[in-house]
Amino acid sequence: MTDNNGESESAAADRDRRWRLVLGDPAADAFPALGGADLAMDNALGALYDANGGGSRKGGLGKSAPSVARWLGDIREYFPSTVVQVMQRDAVERLNLYALLTEPELIDSIEPDIDMVTTLIGLGRAIPASSKASARALVRKVVAEVERRIADRTRSAVGAALDRAARVNRPKLRDIDWNATIGRNLHNYLPEQKTVVPERLVGHGRRAQVVSKDIILAIDQSGSMARSIVYASIFGAVIATMRSVRTSLVVFDTEVVDLTDELDDPVDVLFGTTLGGGTDINRAIAYCQGLVTRPEHSIFVLISDLYEGGVRDEMLKRVAQMRADGITVVVLLALSDEGAPSFDRDIATALGAMGVPAFACTPDAFPDLLAVAINRGDIVGWADANELSQRGMEE
């Protein structure tokens, strides 16, 4: 059967059901009563979204970890994982559940995602010993998922870039790369002899036993950079597995912490960070300058929103000196899928004026960016071509 609008009874009932779930208890008199799974879904939604006076329901999730854990179990049963992750974030923010995240039974019930990892990292030392194993297990799940997403592409892009950078134009016979040599000399093809004159030879550099590039990652620990810390730590761990690259990872606020020794386990890196606090970029750059031993073979990647609490002019001078020394400098406003956060546009403009663009980069694009940097390519052009420059990002 259909109503006057041509809508079937089942479609009308489904529409009314959805509106009832959206509007909550205040709309109870306008729609048929809910039952079964719909009633359970309504209760789960109401516990979160009506707890602060949004409707007639009272009490919210309560104050005990077991009640929150039961609620987390309910939403995982009735909603898809993407919705679960949104509701988890809303629960932490709306109902101030940060303290309960230190409870192991609650952590065990959480659907892992990047935002929950950054929340746990933010809690840091506040997580009691009884909860640390559960917290690390949750973080490790997310780290493993991200690493699967980026590892192969990173090793492929960076490895290929290192191969190109290692090629030489006066190789010994055993080192000649014949495919590259033919490609480089196709313009010297002689049709009558049906041959290519190898005017320029291209060879493989013998880099297997040597470190060909030094990559230094410096990451701002301010709150807005939380996702960037997660991705940068995982990238650092992946790159550190490549024998021909020497990787250093430094995190900073007003202090500088060198986490290079932890790169064999990105989870250790993440729990070695401390979100929030002030920012002294100048001090961090000064420390990183001390790590450079081969300027022309070094890539310095600064990941920061550029809100400098230290000496601004001194910081800019240090970047200029790095450039003058031959170091490749890359400044990322964010390394995440969300684009750039609010950032200091004056400093970004000053960096751009000295040939160091500041832009946001997605994790999927970062391996290609590193490849460009390794080959001392046009980073400005690459950023513009990928529509990642700061001019295109919203604060």
Side-chain angles (χ1 to χ4, degrees), residues 133-299:
S134 295
R136 289 181 68 88
L138 184 148
V139 172
R140 192 170 295 282
K141 286 181 183 178
V142 177
V143 166
E145 181 181 335
V146 174
E147 195 165 5
R148 281 194 297 271
R149 167 184 164 189
I150 68 172
D152 288 344
R153 173 141 181 77
T154 300
R155 294 190 184 101
S156 175
V158 173
L162 290 168
D163 282 336
R164 289 192 296 272
R167 286 175 183 166
V168 293
N169 291 322
R170 299 181 64 182
K172 295 179 180 179
L173 181 62
R174 66 178 180 272
D175 293 332
I176 294 175
D177 182 340
W178 289 108
N179 287 333
T181 296
I182 293 170
R184 182 73 62 87
N185 292 277
L186 284 175
H187 62 284
N188 294 324
Y189 178 68
L190 301 178
E192 59 275 14
Q193 277 83 32
K194 296 183 178 180
T195 188
V196 172
V197 178
E199 185 178 68
R200 298 183 64 186
L201 299 176
V202 179
H204 297 291
R206 293 187 168 271
R207 64 177 182 82
Q209 303 301 320
V210 300
V211 174
S212 60
K213 292 293 179 181
D214 299 331
I215 298 177
I216 302 169
L217 301 172
I219 315 170
D220 187 340
Q221 293 189 107
S222 59
S224 64
M225 307 305 295
R227 282 177 170 239
S228 297
I229 290 174
V230 174
Y231 284 116
S233 299
I234 298 171
F235 272 115
V238 171
I239 298 167
T241 64
M242 305 180 72
R243 290 184 301 170
S244 54
V245 179
R246 180 183 294 113
T247 307
S248 301
L249 188 142
V250 172
V251 297
F252 65 91
D253 40 39
T254 54
E255 301 293 329
V256 178
V257 180
D258 192 328
L259 295 175
T260 302
D261 290 342
E262 309 292 339
L263 277 174
D264 59 334
D265 188 346
V267 176
D268 287 340
V269 173
L270 292 173
F271 278 101
T273 62
T274 306
L275 295 179
T279 306
D280 192 338
I281 305 173
N282 178 54
R283 186 172 186 174
I285 294 177
Y287 178 85
C288 292
Q289 283 179 301
L291 300 177
V292 176
T293 57
R294 307 182 305 158
E296 292 188 356
H297 297 283
S298 297
I299 300 166

Side-chain angles (χ1 to χ4, degrees), residues 72-109:
L72 285 168
D74 288 343
I75 65 174
R76 291 174 72 176
E77 179 178 353
Y78 296 115
F79 300 97
S81 61
T82 53
V83 176
V84 169
Q85 291 168 7
V86 172
M87 293 179 73
Q88 287 177 169
R89 291 196 294 271
D90 286 348
V92 171
E93 294 172 2
R94 289 167 62 94
L95 304 179
N96 194 26
L97 297 184
Y98 290 97
L100 290 178
L101 283 174
T102 61
E103 299 288 342
E105 65 236 67
L106 177 57
I107 294 175
D108 290 340
S109 303

